[in-house]
Amino acid sequence: MLEKPSISNLIRGSTFFQHSGIAITFVFMPIIASGVTDSMFEIGIIVAAFAFAQILSEIYFGRISDKKGKRLLFIRAGFILCAVTFGLHYFADNTTYLLLARIGAGIASGIMIPPMIAYAYEAGDGKSKVASIISFHALGWLAGIGAAGIANDEKLIFLISAGFFIIGFLISLKLPNLKVEKIIEKGTIKKVDIKDLKDEAKKEEENDKFKKDSLYQIKSDQILEEESRKITLENMNYFFQNYILFHCEKTFHFHYFYICLLLLL
């Protein structure tokens, strides 16, 4: 009976195919760029566009991954998008299409690299295996460059690259959900279970509903209090009006009696 592969080996496999798919395109990229333009400046832009897009993507999606705590979502999405964007290089036959393909590939690869490193760190036993897992970055580059030399075809390498990413995606499907660090706010970190994120979102919705109901109740109480205050003022006005009328009537009767008494005398 075959033993189930460990998490570390699954991460190593995913990392290996991740960087193999990226590296295989680097060997021929200047040559491919020179085939669509004669400008050395444009060739440099096409080659550098991938790294520039990847840096921005890693910064943005790395932070999003930390806030959401959903490592596997970004890892798997990155593999799929890389398979698509690197495969589209096969159809890039002019400067514009090739530049857009390189930018798209840079963004796609930047989505999964930071979550993959974070996942390897969080899955490591005492973080001792992280270095060996990260070393598969270099091994993947070695394999990718070697595969490019063996293929020796400017178009075929992109199909092979897409195949590498698909294999990496299939391996990532076997990675288990982990309790990860989710950043609640700046300087505050909380351990969460990815499976419980939906329950947490549901609780937040219930809390929002409770807050809305509470505000409605408070507003209703305020309205009732205002109405009660109005009724009290009306009763007080009615009392004073009757008191004044009674007092005036009593005073009139007294004066009338006094006048009659004087007339009799």
Side-chain angles (χ1 to χ4, degrees), residues 119-192:
Y119 186 91
Y121 180 83
E122 290 155 357
D125 185 10
K127 317 306 185 270
S128 59
K129 297 181 181 179
V130 177
S132 65
I133 292 173
I134 294 178
S135 66
F136 274 70
H137 291 194
L139 185 60
W141 275 81
L142 177 62
I145 293 172
I150 295 172
N152 195 25
D153 189 300
E154 297 177 3
K155 293 291 187 178
L156 181 61
I157 58 173
F158 297 117
L159 299 181
I160 297 174
S161 175
F164 283 158
F165 289 119
I166 292 173
I167 295 173
F169 170 74
L170 295 176
I171 295 175
S172 70
L173 292 177
K174 297 182 179 180
L175 292 171
N177 289 320
L178 300 174
K179 284 188 176 181
V180 299
E181 291 183 345
K182 177 183 176 182
I183 296 179
I184 301 173
E185 57 187 19
K186 189 174 182 181
T188 305
I189 297 176
K190 177 185 178 182
K191 288 280 187 179
V192 297

Side-chain angles (χ1 to χ4, degrees), residues 63-250:
R63 291 179 178 176
I64 297 298
S65 173
D66 290 336
K67 290 181 180 179
K68 300 296 183 181
K70 299 179 180 180
R71 310 294 190 202
L72 290 180
L73 174 64
F74 288 92
I75 291 171
R76 292 164 182 169
F79 273 119
I80 294 173
L81 292 175
C82 280
V84 173
T85 54
F86 278 82
L88 288 176
H89 284 66
Y90 185 89
F91 304 99
D93 55 359
N94 60 53
T95 304
T96 302
Y97 290 161
L98 185 58
L99 179 61
L100 292 176
R102 295 306 292 163
I103 294 174
I107 294 173
S109 62
I111 292 175
M112 63 176 171
I113 291 177
M116 179 66 81
I117 296 174
Y119 186 91
Y121 180 83
E122 290 155 357
D125 185 10
K127 317 306 185 270
S128 59
K129 297 181 181 179
V130 177
S132 65
I133 292 173
I134 294 178
S135 66
F136 274 70
H137 291 194
L139 185 60
W141 275 81
L142 177 62
I145 293 172
I150 295 172
N152 195 25
D153 189 300
E154 297 177 3
K155 293 291 187 178
L156 181 61
I157 58 173
F158 297 117
L159 299 181
I160 297 174
S161 175
F164 283 158
F165 289 119
I166 292 173
I167 295 173
F169 170 74
L170 295 176
I171 295 175
S172 70
L173 292 177
K174 297 182 179 180
L175 292 171
N177 289 320
L178 300 174
K179 284 188 176 181
V180 299
E181 291 183 345
K182 177 183 176 182
I183 296 179
I184 301 173
E185 57 187 19
K186 189 174 182 181
T188 305
I189 297 176
K190 177 185 178 182
K191 288 280 187 179
V192 297
D193 192 334
I194 294 178
K195 293 181 180 179
D196 295 334
L197 290 176
K198 291 183 179 179
D199 295 337
E200 185 178 338
K202 186 176 180 181
K203 289 181 181 179
E204 290 179 357
E205 291 179 0
E206 292 176 353
N207 290 334
D208 292 340
K209 184 178 179 181
F210 176 76
K211 290 179 181 178
K212 290 180 181 179
D213 293 339
S214 299
L215 291 174
Y216 177 78
Q217 184 65 36
I218 292 172
K219 189 173 182 180
S220 300
D221 294 341
Q222 290 176 348
I223 294 173
L224 291 174
E225 185 179 353
E226 186 67 25
E227 292 294 331
S228 177
R229 189 182 294 110
K230 289 181 180 179
I231 293 172
T232 303
L233 291 174
E234 290 176 357
N235 291 335
M236 291 178 66
N237 290 334
Y238 178 77
F239 171 77
F240 282 117
Q241 288 175 2
N242 288 336
Y243 176 79
I244 292 171
L245 289 173
F246 174 76
H247 181 72
C248 291
E249 183 178 358
K250 185 177 179 181

